[in-house]
Coordinates of all heavy atoms in Angstrom, one line a residue:
A28 N 10.4 -2.3 41.4 CA 9.1 -1.6 41.5 C 9.2 0.0 41.6 O 8.6 0.7 40.8 CB 8.3 -2.0 42.7
P29 N 10.1 0.5 42.3 CA 10.3 2.0 42.3 C 10.9 2.5 41.0 O 10.7 3.7 40.7 CB 11.3 2.2 43.5 CG 11.3 1.1 44.3 CD 11.0 0.0 43.4
I30 N 11.6 1.6 40.3 CA 12.1 2.1 39.0 C 11.1 2.2 37.9 O 11.1 3.1 37.1 CB 13.3 1.2 38.6 CG1 14.5 1.3 39.6 CG2 13.8 1.5 37.2 CD1 15.5 0.2 39.5
L31 N 10.2 1.2 37.9 CA 9.2 1.1 36.9 C 7.9 2.1 37.0 O 7.5 2.5 36.1 CB 8.7 -0.3 36.7 CG 9.7 -1.3 36.2 CD1 9.0 -2.7 36.2 CD2 10.3 -0.9 34.9
F32 N 7.7 2.3 38.3 CA 6.4 3.1 38.6 C 6.7 4.4 39.3 O 7.7 4.4 40.1 CB 5.5 2.2 39.4 CG 5.1 0.9 38.8 CD1 5.6 -0.3 39.2 CD2 4.2 0.9 37.6 CE1 5.3 -1.5 38.6 CE2 3.9 -0.3 37.1 CZ 4.4 -1.5 37.5
K33 N 5.9 5.3 39.2 CA 6.0 6.6 39.9 C 5.8 6.4 41.4 O 5.1 5.5 41.8 CB 4.9 7.6 39.4 CG 5.2 8.0 38.0 CD 4.3 9.2 37.6 CE 2.9 8.9 38.0 NZ 1.9 10.0 37.5
A34 N 6.3 7.3 42.1 CA 6.1 7.2 43.6 C 4.7 7.5 43.9 O 4.0 8.4 43.4 CB 7.0 8.3 44.3
G35 N 4.1 6.8 44.8 CA 2.7 6.9 45.1 C 1.7 6.3 44.2 O 0.5 6.4 44.5
S36 N 2.2 5.5 43.3 CA 1.2 4.9 42.3 C 0.7 3.5 43.1 O 1.6 2.9 43.7 CB 1.8 4.7 41.0 OG 2.8 3.6 41.0
V37 N -0.4 3.1 42.7 CA -1.0 1.9 43.2 C -0.2 0.7 42.7 O 0.0 -0.3 43.4 CB -2.5 1.7 42.9 CG1 -3.0 0.4 43.4 CG2 -3.2 2.9 43.6
G39 N 2.9 0.4 41.8 CA 4.2 0.2 42.5 C 4.2 -0.3 43.8 O 4.9 -1.2 44.3
F40 N 3.1 0.1 44.5 CA 2.8 -0.3 45.9 C 2.4 -1.8 45.9 O 2.9 -2.7 46.7 CB 1.6 0.4 46.5 CG 1.3 0.0 47.9 CD1 2.2 0.3 49.0 CD2 0.2 -0.6 48.2 CE1 1.9 -0.1 50.2 CE2 -0.1 -1.0 49.5 CZ 0.7 -0.8 50.5

Side-chain angles (χ1 to χ4, degrees):
I30 296 170
L31 293 179
F32 302 106
K33 295 190 306 185
S36 69
V37 175
F40 181 71

